[in-house]
Amino acid sequence: MLRIQKLVRRKGIADRLRATMKAGLRAALTDPLTGLHNRRYALPHLDRVDEAARAANKGYAVLLADIDDFKQVNDCHGHQAGDAVLAEVARRLAENVRAADLVSRFGGEEFLVTLPDTGPEAAAGVAERLRRAIRATPVSIGPGSAPIAVTISVGVATGPGAQAGPDGPRGRIDAADGALYAAKRAGRDRVERAPVPFRAQSERPEGASITPIRSSRSA
């Protein structure tokens, strides 16, 4: 009986250690504020999506979404309000994509959305849906404060599967980043799409390689 009790205790200790390790791994790959996966998880995930797309000769898309004028939220309303905006934007983004898609917090007020098996037109449609979901309703920032209007700008890039160039998935992020930069320069609250192939932003001539899909803000 004593031997059995010792075995049971050892198993309990081992189970708790495994649970602690799993919790630690989840914490390392999850953004604590938004509950989304973080950059550390998102980049290897994108590599897997790119590998699967090449093997199946299919496309995928990468979106980079950035909260417009986020610094003003922190400066005018405080960092707690900024945290509330980040959490709410993350929630709306996650609720407006498919189960197979991944929304991750890429850094600061920037979010990376990975869309497997998605072509350019469908990706642009998803980006526009996300933009509208954020713009549709002001964000509550706490008791005693009026909700504030929040918008995002989105850059869209697609990977052409087996025909992808040597830049690979990191090149898709660079492409989306260049398109996002163009959206910011064009007035924010916009979706811009980068054609494929796309050179890294540092190599891009001024004003080149960006295809707008919206020309003005809409209600």
Side-chain angles (χ1 to χ4, degrees), residues 162-187:
Q163 283 73 46
D167 56 354
R170 299 305 190 275
R172 300 302 90 212
I173 293 176
D174 287 344
D177 186 59
L180 173 61
Y181 177 73
K184 294 288 189 179
R185 291 191 63 181

Side-chain angles (χ1 to χ4, degrees), residues 11 16 45-46 113 131 155 159 179 183 196 198 201-202 217 219:
K11 183 179 184 304
R16 287 193 293 273
H45 174 80
L46 179 58
V113 185
R131 185 195 70 81
V196 178
F198 185 96
Q201 183 174 333
S202 61
R217 298 185 185 185

